[in-house]
Amino acid sequence: MPKIVAFACEHSAYEAATAALERKTGTAVSGENPRFPIVEVEILKVPCTGRVEVIDILKALEGGAGIVVLLGCFEEACHYLTGNVRAKKRVGYVRRIIQDIGLEENRVQFFSLAPDMDARFSGIIEELSKQVVNMGPGPVTRIRDQTTKEQAQAAQAR
Amino acid sequence: MIVAEQKPVAEILRMIEGYRKILVVGCGTCVTVCMAGGEKEAGILASLIRMAWAREGRLGPLIDVSETTVERQCEWEFLQEISEKVAASDAVLSMGCGAGVQAMARMFEGKVILPALNTKFIGMPERQGLWTELCAGCGDCVLDRTGGICPIARCSKSLLNGPCGGSQNGKCEVSKDIDCAWQLIFDRMKSLGRLEALGAMLPPKDWSKNRDGGPRKVVREDMLL
Ligand code: SF4
Ligand code: SF4
């Protein structure tokens, strides 16, 4: 199942996600994705998107995410002043380096949210769900699935 | 400090083609500060390689890309610590500067050691995300006469006797983004009240202390054992 990993700032996006869950307008924080049941969504609460390092994003992709999204505050609204600006720049950097290995840049994205924007949150997840279905699972999941399939075939042949 | 930057990933991937077990080795000193080859960057590069290989269907039980970082790649003591990991790999991607790569190549005889960085210069972080060249390691420092501004590294033509005819409004003719080193030197000497020192007649610079005579050595007799 294609997977979206979302790093959500506890001051904005995570609250929006929680509200979306409560109002059942969108994705559950637990991983269910009522509007898009064929896509798994993992939401990780972070103190600020500025805390998310390049390696965290890459590890999420390596761990099988098809899309990694950072959901932070709007500019000027960051609780740590410029965490979201840094996060955006880091996302830009990761989008560049993953293209170097032939991955689509849209596998890593950034969106700004305010705590009361549960509808926008659901909309973003819905849009990303469509995208991840189109792009297919991440590189590592693909190879893992393939290896599992091959192992299963080999086992059957035995 | 030594300033370096990572080679393009495509070039690195070409370099490691044909090897199955790759050890990416970061260096915890200069290249950590210039964010080219420290622990973070080693993790990022190893992750990229794993994903690139996964895309090609190359990851499997016999294939492995891992990373480790030593305090300094250009000292034997620190390299000893990773001997076992190096022994278990087919090829090592060094994220140290050229000195680090070569130290590893000498320490681990018979092991393929590959450079993941392009070593650029001796310099400093100007501000977050920007490093500039300050010294060309000429072997015969003239900073006493130039107000602490290096004409070898910072003048595009390494002129020693004042600005060329292309210096305009304090900028170098090579690019508007480059300050004319000789303008900087003039301004600084003026502010130090030492302008007349620039008029002194000097013998030619002793370039024999630079590249002439092959690789250079520094010996401290009192330190030799
Ligand atoms: S190998 Fe030595 S000189 Fe080179 S970056 Fe590391 S500590 Fe600096
Ligand atoms: S004069 Fe030579 S040693 Fe001194 S800073 Fe310039 S290049 Fe370095």
Side-chain angles (χ1 to χ4, degrees):
Chain A
M1 188 189 281
K3 182 175 172 185
I4 297 170
V5 171
F7 290 95
C9 166
E10 66 178 355
H11 300 288
S12 55
Y14 194 79
E15 295 214 3
T18 313
L21 170 67
E22 277 165 7
R23 290 182 209 160
K24 299 208 179 339
T25 55
T27 304
V29 175
S30 63
E32 303 156 35
N33 188 2
R35 295 242 196 132
F36 251 91
I38 52 162
V39 175
E40 183 190 345
V41 181
E42 186 178 353
I43 298 177
L44 302 164
K45 179 160 90 169
V46 291
C48 171
T49 46
R51 280 301 304 272
V52 182
E53 299 273 358
V54 171
I55 191 68
D56 299 324
I57 302 174
L58 294 178
K59 289 270 164 174
L61 286 173
E62 263 200 78
I67 286 184
V68 179
V69 63
L70 270 65
L71 302 169
C73 306
F74 284 95
E75 263 177 50
E76 311 288 324
C78 174
H79 279 239
Y80 306 99
L81 303 178
T82 54
N84 50 357
V85 179
R86 278 170 190 281
K88 258 190 219 173
K89 288 201 160 180
R90 262 179 220 150
V91 163
Y93 176 73
V94 179
R95 283 165 69 94
R96 265 206 321 280
I97 59 174
I98 59 172
Q99 285 184 76
D100 288 345
I101 56 165
L103 285 183
E104 302 86 346
E105 60 177 349
N106 276 345
R107 293 215 180 257
V108 180
Q109 305 192 31
F110 182 98
F111 291 96
S112 302
L113 282 165
D116 59 355
M117 291 185 167
D118 52 302
R120 177 169 154 84
F121 171 84
S122 303
I124 289 168
I125 295 297
E126 199 167 324
E127 169 58 26
L128 294 181
S129 299
K130 285 181 200 154
Q131 287 183 21
V132 79
V133 169
N134 282 338
M135 281 192 277
V140 178
T141 321
R142 239 177 353 233
I143 182 74
R144 258 194 224 128
D145 289 351
Q146 198 182 318
T147 322
T148 326
K149 223 185 281 164
E150 277 164 17
Q151 277 167 351
Q153 277 165 357
Q156 244 171 14
R158 279 200 298 271
Chain B
M1 62 183 272
I2 307 277
V3 180
E5 66 184 359
Q6 196 188 295
K7 282 179 176 290
V9 175
E11 184 183 342
I12 294 173
L13 290 175
R14 271 200 303 278
M15 247 187 243
I16 57 173
E17 240 167 42
Y19 299 109
R20 302 172 75 89
K21 294 196 172 160
I22 302 289
L23 179 66
V24 180
V25 183
C27 173
T29 309
C30 315
V31 290
T32 293
V33 182
C34 66
M35 297 172 185
E39 192 176 359
K40 272 188 193 175
E41 292 76 25
I44 291 168
L45 181 60
S47 174
L48 282 177
I49 296 172
R50 279 192 295 271
M51 284 196 275
W53 281 9
R55 285 195 78 235
E56 293 166 12
R58 279 193 66 191
L59 276 190
L62 292 172
I63 298 215
D64 182 38
V65 183
S66 58
E67 73 266 15
T68 187
T69 298
V70 294
E71 186 66 33
R72 265 192 293 290
Q73 275 187 32
C74 56
E75 287 194 58
W76 306 132
E77 297 86 306
F78 297 115
L79 291 182
Q80 241 142 25
E81 293 166 8
I82 56 165
S83 309
E84 278 175 25
K85 288 182 186 165
V86 171
S89 70
D90 291 341
V92 174
L93 257 179
S94 160
M95 296 195 88
C97 70
V101 179
Q102 294 181 62
M104 294 239 280
R106 269 176 68 184
M107 174 95 181
F108 305 114
E109 253 179 68
K111 189 62 69 180
V112 177
I113 314 285
L114 304 163
L117 303 186
N118 289 325
T119 305
K120 309 288 280 195
F121 50 76
I122 304 173
M124 69 173 288
E126 200 73 50
R127 55 188 163 86
Q128 176 85 7
L130 174 69
W131 294 266
T132 51
E133 180 169 17
L134 292 178
C135 170
C138 75
D140 186 29
C141 194
V142 302
L143 290 177
D144 57 320
R145 285 174 258 143
T146 57
I149 292 155
C150 173
I152 315 286
R154 295 173 67 183
C155 163
S156 302
K157 300 169 187 173
S158 298
L159 295 179
L160 279 163
N161 51 358
C164 72
S167 170
Q168 265 187 21
N169 306 322
K171 294 295 173 187
C172 171
E173 72 172 342
V174 166
S175 156
K176 283 196 293 296
D177 297 332
I178 304 172
D179 287 328
C180 168
W182 274 101
Q183 182 74 54
L184 297 177
I185 292 169
F186 180 88
D187 293 346
R188 177 133 166 92
M189 288 299 264
K190 192 171 171 189
S191 76
L192 291 172
R194 292 190 59 215
L195 260 192
E196 78 290 349
L198 284 180
M201 296 294 285
L202 298 168
K205 184 169 157 61
D206 183 1
W207 283 106
S208 71
K209 290 172 178 159
N210 190 240
R211 295 300 305 157
D212 194 39
R216 291 171 281 175
K217 277 197 177 80
V218 171
V219 184
R220 276 270 307 262
E221 288 294 344
D222 57 326
M223 300 293 287
L224 285 176
L225 285 178

